[in-house]
């Protein structure tokens, strides 16, 4: 028998819908508050969730956002006396199945429920079928793994740590796909059927971070008009992904450490300890070890989280995967726009391989999505479809590299004239010495070295060539 949850602030409405659906052989549970409903969703599996948009503690959009994290495979049907077209469109676009106006037509409601459950069942089967195809395009279909040596090594590490309960730190530059990698680890673990909750620590203010993570009691602080369930409770049995964890305040870090060590939390303003079972995967684009040494991050929390450290390579260091990423984003954007898949011109492909991609995979995705709106009549993407910032970066990089080469040639000619006393040769020697000092300091990370030296990365590569250094 199919199981349905009804969330409506009017008890009479809950009873009316429940009695009707019970007669149609459904198992039905009800709740008049969003927070209580979220706890029910956490503990039980539902085929469909019928929710009034107006709830005393959360509006429909906020409820849907939290509930769908816990049970993404349930069919969500929203109802309301006052149908707001924008709300309806936003919810349906976000994944809700339907939005119905009150008073409800029983036959219409029954038909929508049947279609919604059937649709979710078909989608779930498709996901299962796709998941058996191999690891080639990632478990959650939002991240292309790649076939380069670095990519394959990374996936081997995911397979190794996934089935464990180890806490994991994922290190990598912005845009390298750290959240997707965290989802892969979750999907490789015994927790895969439980919630995966991703939290951007950089977007949560320090004042409310404790409340967001651990929840709060009614009246705990000004504005706490109702009891709140935190992400730790919502993720029970599953995984919490803390993106940019270095942004958490030291106070919140202390509470997080306690939750990891003792496996209990305490709501803000609460006195009772609540047992929790969650796995933590943290991500950062900073060096947490160095930050912990400078008191910017708790060293005890760092050592607790770093049971396994996984490093995501930058796109410029895995250019063998670039064609695979390009093809994947072209195909997905074409499907989204309902158009034929375009191709890149040879010049654009060459540009892509010489560009250093500071925004990594995210930047590549955005560049391709934009370019797909400016496809030529022959269905090919030419350079005029690329953003001006990318073209300017390439242009100035080429000019700078050419200037460096010309400067080097001039210096060699001058050295032939007077090798011992030429000022230019002295400058070149000092420059080479400085470059080597910086490279040693950053352990030969060329990107960081270029930033410190305040030159373009391609310029640094050119100078290294002239110094006969294999990079």
């Amino acid at each position: 028998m199919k199981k349905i949850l009804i969330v409506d602030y009017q008890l009479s409405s809950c009873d009316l819908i429940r009695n009707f659906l019970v007669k149609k052989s459904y198992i039905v549970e009800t709740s008049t508050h969003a927070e209580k409903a979220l706890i029910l969703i956490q503990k039980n599996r539902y085929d469909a969730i019928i929710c009034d948009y107006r709830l005393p503690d959360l509006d429909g959009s906020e409820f849907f956002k939290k509930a769908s994290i816990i049970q993404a495979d349930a069919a969500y049907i929203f109802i309301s006396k006052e149908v707001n077209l924008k709300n309806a469109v936003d919810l349906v676009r976000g994944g809700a199945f339907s939005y119905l106006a009150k008073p409800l037509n029983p036959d219409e409601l029954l038909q929508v429920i049947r279609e919604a459950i059937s649709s979710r069942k078909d989608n779930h089967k498709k996901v299962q079928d796709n998941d058996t195809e191999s690891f080639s395009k990632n478990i959650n279909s939002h991240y292309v793994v790649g076939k380069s040596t670095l990519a394959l090594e990374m996936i081997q590490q995911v397979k190794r740590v996934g089935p464990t309960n180890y806490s994991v730190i994922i290190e990598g530059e912005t845009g390298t796909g750290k959240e997707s990698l965290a989802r892969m680890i979750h999907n490789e673990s015994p927790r895969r059927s439980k919630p995966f909750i991703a939290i951007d620590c950089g977007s949560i203010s320090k004042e409310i971070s404790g409340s967001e993570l651990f929840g709060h009691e009614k009246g705990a602080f000004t504005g706490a008009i109702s009891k709140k369930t935190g992400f730790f409770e919502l993720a029970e049995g599953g995984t919490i992904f803390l993106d940019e964890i270095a942004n958490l305040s030291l106070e919140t870090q202390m509470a997080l450490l306690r939750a990891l060590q003792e496996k209990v939390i305490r709501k803000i303003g609460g006195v009772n300890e609540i047992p929790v079972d969650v796995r933590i995967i943290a991500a950062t684009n900073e060096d947490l070890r160095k930050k912990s040494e400078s008191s910017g991050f708790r060293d005890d929390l760092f050592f607790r989280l770093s049971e396994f450290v996984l490093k995501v390579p930058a796109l410029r260091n895995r250019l063998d995967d670039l064609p695979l990423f390009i093809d994947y984003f072209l195909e997905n954007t074409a499907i989204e726009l309902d158009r034929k898949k375009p191709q890149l011109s040879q010049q654009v492909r060459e540009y892509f391989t010489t560009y250093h991609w500071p925004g990594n995979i995210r930047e590549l995705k955005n560049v391709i999505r934009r370019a797909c709106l400016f496809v030529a009549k022959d269905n090919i993407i030419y350079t005029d479809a690329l953003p001006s910032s990318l073209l300017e970066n390439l242009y100035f990089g080429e000019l700078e590299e050419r200037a460096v080469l010309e400067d080097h040639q001039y210096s060699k000619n001058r050295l032939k004239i007077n090798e011992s006393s030429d000022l230019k040769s002295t400058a070149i020697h000092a420059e080479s010495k400085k470059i080597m000092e910086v490279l040693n300091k950053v352990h030969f990370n060329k990107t960081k070295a270029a930033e410190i030296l305040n030159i373009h990365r391609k310029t640094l590569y050119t100078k290294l060539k002239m110094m006969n250094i294999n990079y």
Side-chain angles (χ1 to χ4, degrees):
M1 295 177 70
K2 302 300 182 184
K3 195 169 185 178
I4 296 175
L5 174 65
I6 300 166
V7 189
D8 195 308
Y9 68 98
Q10 291 181 315
L11 184 59
S12 58
S13 181
C14 287
D15 291 341
L16 187 65
I17 300 173
R18 179 181 57 191
N19 293 337
F20 170 70
L21 293 178
V22 167
K23 291 178 182 179
K24 300 298 179 180
S25 301
Y26 289 100
I27 299 172
V28 183
E29 294 180 353
T30 65
S31 175
T32 55
H33 288 76
E35 291 292 344
K36 292 180 180 177
L38 290 171
I39 294 173
L40 287 173
I41 294 170
Q42 183 182 329
K43 294 179 179 179
N44 306 288
R45 306 300 297 176
Y46 296 100
D47 296 283
I49 297 172
I50 303 171
C51 180
D52 194 299
Y53 191 83
R54 292 176 57 200
L55 296 171
D57 44 353
L58 287 176
D59 66 27
S61 298
E62 191 66 25
F63 171 79
F64 180 50
K65 179 181 177 181
K66 291 189 174 184
S68 58
I69 289 174
I70 307 171
Q71 284 194 39
D73 57 343
Y76 289 85
I77 301 168
F78 285 86
I79 57 179
S80 180
K81 284 183 179 179
E82 302 170 359
V83 178
N84 181 298
L85 184 59
K86 183 181 183 304
N87 291 339
V89 170
D90 288 345
L91 284 167
V92 173
R93 282 181 176 174
F97 185 81
S98 186
Y99 194 112
L100 304 176
K102 287 184 175 182
L104 298 172
N105 180 308
D107 293 333
E108 179 187 11
L109 176 63
L110 186 61
Q111 181 64 25
V112 169
I113 290 172
R114 287 171 176 168
E115 290 176 357
I117 293 175
S118 176
S119 172
R120 287 296 175 177
K121 185 177 180 181
D122 291 341
N123 288 340
H124 183 61
K125 185 178 185 303
K126 288 179 183 177
V127 170
Q128 287 181 322
D129 292 342
N130 290 336
D131 282 352
T132 62
E133 287 183 0
S134 80
F135 226 61
S136 63
K137 277 197 176 181
N138 188 348
I139 301 166
N140 69 349
S141 75
H142 292 298
Y143 183 77
V144 180
V145 173
K147 298 179 180 179
S148 66
T149 302
L150 286 175
L152 295 177
E153 289 176 355
M154 182 173 63
I155 296 311
Q156 286 302 316
Q157 292 187 59
V158 169
K159 289 182 176 181
R160 185 175 292 113
V161 75
T164 72
N165 272 319
Y166 285 14
S167 297
V168 180
I169 294 178
I170 302 176
E171 296 180 347
E173 296 179 10
T174 299
T176 49
K178 296 188 288 293
E179 180 177 339
S180 295
L181 206 61
R183 288 183 183 275
M184 291 170 64
I185 294 171
H186 172 74
N187 288 334
E188 282 286 290
S189 75
R191 299 172 180 268
R192 66 178 67 88
S193 62
K194 299 295 184 179
F196 175 92
I197 297 182
I199 304 166
D200 181 2
C201 298
S203 66
I204 303 177
S205 68
K206 294 180 179 180
E207 292 75 18
I208 65 169
S209 59
S211 172
E212 290 293 316
L213 291 175
F214 311 115
H216 65 248
E217 297 289 350
K218 182 178 180 180
F221 50 83
T222 304
I225 58 175
S226 62
K227 184 177 179 180
K228 178 183 177 64
T229 302
F231 287 125
F232 264 77
E233 286 183 87
L234 293 176
E236 177 63 25
T239 303
I240 287 182
F241 172 62
L242 297 173
D243 195 13
E244 304 308 339
I245 190 172
N247 290 305
L248 289 179
S249 66
L250 293 175
E251 182 182 0
T252 304
Q253 289 178 33
M254 181 61 199
L256 177 60
L257 177 64
R258 186 171 185 276
L260 286 169
Q261 289 180 336
E262 306 299 330
K263 297 189 181 302
V264 294
I265 61 168
R266 183 178 293 146
K267 291 179 182 288
I268 306 297
V271 294
N272 297 324
E273 291 186 334
I274 303 170
V276 290
D277 173 27
V278 296
R279 181 187 195 177
I280 299 295
I281 301 177
T284 178
N285 58 11
E286 301 182 53
D287 189 329
L288 280 187
R289 180 182 289 275
K290 285 186 177 179
K291 193 159 186 176
S292 67
E293 291 172 355
S294 62
S295 301
F297 191 84
R298 291 187 64 96
D299 55 357
D300 47 4
L301 178 58
F302 169 75
F303 291 121
R304 181 62 183 80
L305 288 170
S306 59
E307 291 181 312
F308 193 92
V309 178
L310 199 159
K311 296 187 178 183
V312 190
L315 180 57
R316 61 184 167 276
N317 295 329
R318 50 186 296 203
L319 290 178
D320 290 347
D321 293 327
L322 188 62
L324 187 63
F325 287 120
I326 291 171
D327 187 68
Y328 178 75
F329 293 137
L330 283 173
E331 184 175 342
N332 278 269
T333 306
I335 292 171
E336 179 185 347
L337 298 176
D338 194 21
R339 297 177 183 175
K340 183 181 176 182
K341 178 183 171 183
Q343 299 297 320
L344 301 183
S345 69
Q346 185 59 34
Q347 188 176 18
V348 170
R349 286 192 177 273
E350 290 175 0
Y351 274 18
F352 279 11
T353 56
T354 56
Y355 184 56
H356 66 289
W357 299 108
N360 292 291
I361 299 171
R362 184 184 298 139
E363 182 183 9
L364 173 65
K365 177 182 177 181
N366 292 339
V367 167
I368 289 178
R369 282 173 59 82
R370 179 192 183 279
C372 284
L373 297 176
F374 298 93
V375 179
K377 290 182 179 180
D378 57 2
N379 205 39
I380 294 177
I381 294 173
Y382 294 99
T383 54
D384 58 358
L386 301 180
S388 58
S389 57
L390 186 148
L391 294 173
E392 287 172 3
N393 202 315
L394 285 165
Y395 174 71
F396 286 116
E398 290 172 1
L399 284 182
E400 201 171 357
E401 182 176 7
R402 192 183 310 158
V404 169
L405 288 170
E406 291 174 353
D407 190 42
H408 180 63
Q409 186 61 44
Y410 171 80
S411 300
K412 286 204 301 185
N413 294 336
R414 291 292 298 158
L415 283 170
K416 289 178 182 177
I417 298 171
N418 190 349
E419 188 170 333
S420 61
S421 61
D422 188 82
L423 185 61
K424 196 80 174 180
S425 65
T426 305
I428 290 173
H429 177 73
E431 181 183 78
S432 300
K433 183 179 179 182
K434 180 64 176 177
I435 289 173
M436 290 307 301
E437 286 177 358
V438 172
L439 283 171
N440 283 313
K441 183 178 180 181
V442 298
H443 306 291
F444 275 77
N445 183 316
K446 266 70 73 179
T447 300
K448 288 184 178 179
E451 291 174 358
I452 293 172
L453 293 166
N454 196 26
I455 59 175
H456 194 279
R457 185 181 57 90
K458 289 181 68 178
T459 304
L460 176 60
Y461 282 13
T462 303
K463 290 180 180 292
L464 291 175
K465 282 182 182 177
M466 296 186 304
M467 295 163 61
N468 293 320
I469 294 176
N470 184 12
Y471 58 90

